[in-house]
Amino acid sequence: REIWENSQLPPEKQKRFNRLRRKLQEETISETERKELLALWREVERRNVRRLEALIKLARRRGVTVRELMRQLGIKENRDVF
């Protein structure tokens, strides 16, 4: 459960995060928006840590690697950030 709950931001936050990332790339982001994006990045990082901890715990229980567990669960390895 914890793996899935931490796999992405809630939909509205994800949309905002994507918009702010685009603005950052386009160099049209304001200082206020930059701070908001930083806060969202921190949330993404916290979620990633919780998700990875849950994956490690479950992988140990099953006696497999995290990569193998992800394959078993149908979780694709995503090298891009959210």
Side-chain angles (χ1 to χ4, degrees):
R1 180 176 166 201
E2 197 166 353
I3 293 168
W4 307 117
E5 288 173 356
N6 289 297
S7 66
Q8 64 184 19
L9 292 167
E12 286 306 311
K13 281 188 176 184
Q14 185 66 49
K15 285 180 192 175
R16 182 67 177 155
F17 179 75
N18 294 342
R19 264 187 251 124
L20 292 171
R21 281 183 57 195
R22 264 192 310 279
K23 289 186 89 166
L24 179 67
Q25 291 168 346
E26 295 166 355
E27 298 180 4
T28 59
I29 195 167
S30 71
E31 188 56 34
T32 301
E33 289 170 326
R34 187 180 297 276
K35 288 177 183 175
E36 182 182 355
L37 179 58
L38 182 57
L40 287 169
W41 269 114
R42 286 183 182 130
E43 183 174 346
V44 166
E45 289 172 350
R46 282 191 302 271
R47 286 173 174 274
N48 282 337
V49 168
R50 286 193 300 265
R51 181 174 182 243
L52 185 54
E53 288 171 344
L55 284 167
I56 291 168
K57 188 176 180 181
L58 185 56
R60 282 184 181 149
R61 274 196 227 143
R62 292 187 179 187
V64 297
T65 65
V66 170
R67 184 167 279 146
E68 174 59 22
L69 176 66
M70 289 173 68
R71 190 191 63 72
Q72 290 173 3
L73 296 175
I75 300 172
K76 293 184 179 175
E77 189 173 338
N78 186 353
R79 296 180 191 270
D80 191 20
V81 177
F82 278 65

